[in-house]
Amino acid sequence: MLESVKIQRRQSEIRSALSELVGKDKPTEDETRSMETLDAEYRQNEVRYRAALIAEDTERRDAGEELETRGDREYADLLRRFEVRQVALHYDEGRQLDGATAEIVQEMRSKGGYRGIPVPLAALEQRVGETVASGTPDPVQTRPIIDRLFPDSIAGRMGGQVISIDFGDVEYPVATSAVTAGWAATETGNVAGPTAFATTDRAMVPNQNLGIQMKLTRRALKQSGAGLEAAIRRDMASTIAAELDNAAFNGAGSSGEPEGVLTNSTYNITSTAASATWAGFRSAVARFMSANAVGSPSMVKVAIAPATWDTLDGALFDEGSGITELDKMLKHIGEGNLTISTHMTDESESPDAHSALLTVTKNGVAPFVVGIWGGVDVIRDPYSDAASGGLRLTGLLTADVAVLRPAQLEILTGL
């Protein structure tokens, strides 16, 4: 019990005792001395009470910080113990979820509607100790499952931010007003008149649903055991990451897909033609720096197609020294700010069209964001593969892409 609470209780007892003594017309000497003693103790306790509140204030703040962060730490511990294998066994054998898996599923269902079993995205990450090279102990020593190949994610490398949304729409108010400053022309003249401060809302709505279908054969379920969980998580996580990455840059903006940055049908991102030389990129970077008040070219992130990298590295900037156009670019842009990705190639055209993308993060604002609503809703199809004893899982994920400030991006075409 806190010391201040103990003092409060004692003060209440003293007041009660004093009220009985004060009510007497002719108190005895003992009762008078008792009143003096209680009065002195009451005044002393008032000082102790104030001191106790001051001392306990720090303890309350420390306890409050502990309570604020304890929930996040406990939930992170539960996520590390989440088993996707239990989801597969629940659909295959009707096994009940238990432990941390059951707790997380119950928590996610309380926050959003899921037709199947919800799986948090964090649970799809590779766990400590899992490697593709580790074998799965089986009677016939079936070797580990070899994962599929997926392109590396570049959304994060280009400054894109992934945000988690529980439910509902999310809007980002972005300032669009051109507030200007002006000097007074004369000693008594007025400065520039007031300019209205305007904002535009960048909305993210849960209209786009991404589906991942996975067919598990009966042999895989019986043979791989716990090793199947790691393979399922790696495969689902890689599939989701690859498709979200593609949607962030090349999403059609129709047929259920969010609009990508390079599609640029409504974002009004500056798009200019450039040559696959350092001079062409240098002029584009200079314009981009002026538009965003960027102080150094090393703050600009650049994404190019593999074919553009081939052209830049194959063309000599200075024949005498052997310096290529790519060497000149890396000197000013920095190797860490250059990304090579197939997302910059449009294979629908003949010959393939190649683009480049310039981005910058200013004042902590990302050039574009990818919003994800909740986790992955895993649903079982009990009929399609019933004859073979297989299991078909469908993972549904709701996501959207939004460009917050188009000025922080620029598209270069014709490379």
Side-chain angles (χ1 to χ4, degrees):
M1 183 183 299
L2 295 175
E3 188 65 24
S4 61
V5 177
K6 295 179 182 179
I7 296 174
Q8 277 184 315
R9 290 185 177 182
R10 178 55 184 163
Q11 295 291 75
S12 178
E13 294 173 357
I14 294 175
R15 286 193 298 268
S16 178
L18 285 173
S19 64
E20 295 178 1
L21 296 174
V22 171
K24 295 183 178 182
D25 295 334
K26 295 180 180 180
T28 63
E29 293 182 1
D30 292 338
E31 291 173 339
T32 302
R33 284 194 297 269
S34 178
M35 282 189 291
E36 293 175 353
T37 303
L38 290 174
D39 180 63
E41 182 182 355
Y42 190 89
R43 290 196 301 269
Q44 184 180 8
N45 285 345
E46 285 296 309
V47 178
R48 293 180 56 223
Y49 179 71
R50 290 193 295 270
L53 288 179
I54 295 173
E56 291 165 3
D57 182 62
T58 304
E59 297 178 8
R60 287 191 178 95
R61 285 199 299 267
D62 294 342
E65 294 175 357
E66 171 69 17
L67 291 174
E68 289 175 0
T69 59
R70 184 184 301 169
D72 295 337
R73 292 201 305 269
E74 290 178 351
Y75 190 70
D77 293 337
L78 284 177
L79 282 178
R80 283 193 288 270
R81 300 199 303 270
F82 189 95
E83 295 181 352
V84 182
R85 178 171 55 93
Q86 287 195 33
V87 179
L89 292 177
H90 171 77
Y91 283 139
D92 181 49
E93 303 173 355
R95 174 179 171 180
Q96 294 298 317
L97 303 179
D98 56 25
T101 304
E103 292 185 40
I104 291 179
V105 169
Q106 183 179 2
E107 176 72 15
M108 294 185 68
R109 278 179 172 162
S110 67
K111 293 184 177 180
Y114 296 92
R115 290 184 56 198
I117 297 180
V119 177
L121 286 174
L124 300 180
E125 297 176 354
Q126 183 169 319
R127 310 280 177 83
V128 176
E130 291 177 3
T131 60
V132 179
S134 62
T136 304
D138 291 306
V140 294
Q141 288 297 312
T142 300
R143 298 315 298 165
I145 299 171
I146 299 176
D147 295 343
R148 292 183 291 166
L149 289 176
F150 292 95
D152 294 333
S153 175
I154 68 167
R157 297 180 60 183
M158 293 301 293
Q161 181 181 5
V162 178
I163 61 173
S164 179
I165 307 170
D166 289 334
F167 57 87
D169 298 349
V170 176
E171 290 185 340
Y172 288 88
V174 179
T176 56
S177 60
V179 179
T180 58
W183 296 91
T186 63
E187 181 180 357
T188 59
N190 295 329
V191 296
T195 304
F197 185 83
T199 62
T200 300
D201 291 335
R202 306 295 184 189
M204 301 188 71
V205 294
N207 291 338
Q208 293 84 18
N209 297 314
L210 172 64
I212 307 101
Q213 290 195 353
M214 185 173 297
K215 182 177 179 180
L216 307 178
T217 64
R218 185 170 180 81
R219 176 182 175 182
L221 291 169
K222 301 300 181 184
Q223 185 181 50
S224 297
L228 183 63
E229 176 189 350
I232 291 175
R233 278 194 283 105
R234 288 195 304 266
D235 207 48
M236 290 187 71
S238 299
T239 304
I240 292 172
E243 189 53 38
L244 285 179
D245 213 38
N246 181 64
F249 294 98
N250 297 311
S254 60
S255 301
E257 287 186 15
E259 180 181 342
V261 172
L262 298 178
T263 305
N264 195 26
S265 60
T266 61
Y267 295 140
N268 296 322
I269 300 172
T270 302
S271 180
T272 57
S275 60
T277 62
W278 165 237
F281 276 91
R282 182 185 60 209
S283 300
V285 170
R287 292 193 306 269
F288 190 63
M289 291 172 60
S290 299
N292 287 277
V294 177
S296 171
S298 61
M299 297 174 62
V300 179
K301 299 181 183 297
V302 182
I304 61 176
T308 305
W309 170 84
D310 180 46
T311 301
L312 291 171
D313 196 44
L316 290 176
F317 180 82
D318 185 353
E319 295 186 3
S321 62
I323 298 175
T324 65
E325 300 281 354
L326 181 63
D327 295 332
K328 201 69 175 177
M329 176 186 288
L330 293 178
K331 176 183 177 181
H332 296 279
I333 298 297
E335 187 172 355
N337 291 332
L338 180 64
T339 300
I340 303 173
S341 173
T342 55
H343 293 311
M344 301 297 117
T345 301
D346 187 359
E347 299 178 351
S348 62
E349 298 188 13
S350 182
D352 295 345
H354 306 292
S355 303
L357 180 66
L358 308 181
T359 68
V360 67
T361 300
K362 285 288 292 182
N363 300 327
V365 178
F368 62 94
V369 294
V370 179
I372 299 176
W373 278 260
V376 182
D377 191 359
V378 179
I379 303 173
R380 175 197 183 190
D381 179 1
Y383 305 109
S384 299
D385 302 314
S388 63
L391 173 65
R392 185 169 298 190
L393 300 177
T394 300
L396 297 178
L397 183 70
T398 303
D400 195 13
V401 178
V403 172
L404 299 184
R405 189 183 288 152
Q408 292 180 216
L409 302 99
E410 182 170 342
I411 303 172
L412 306 181
T413 61
L415 299 174

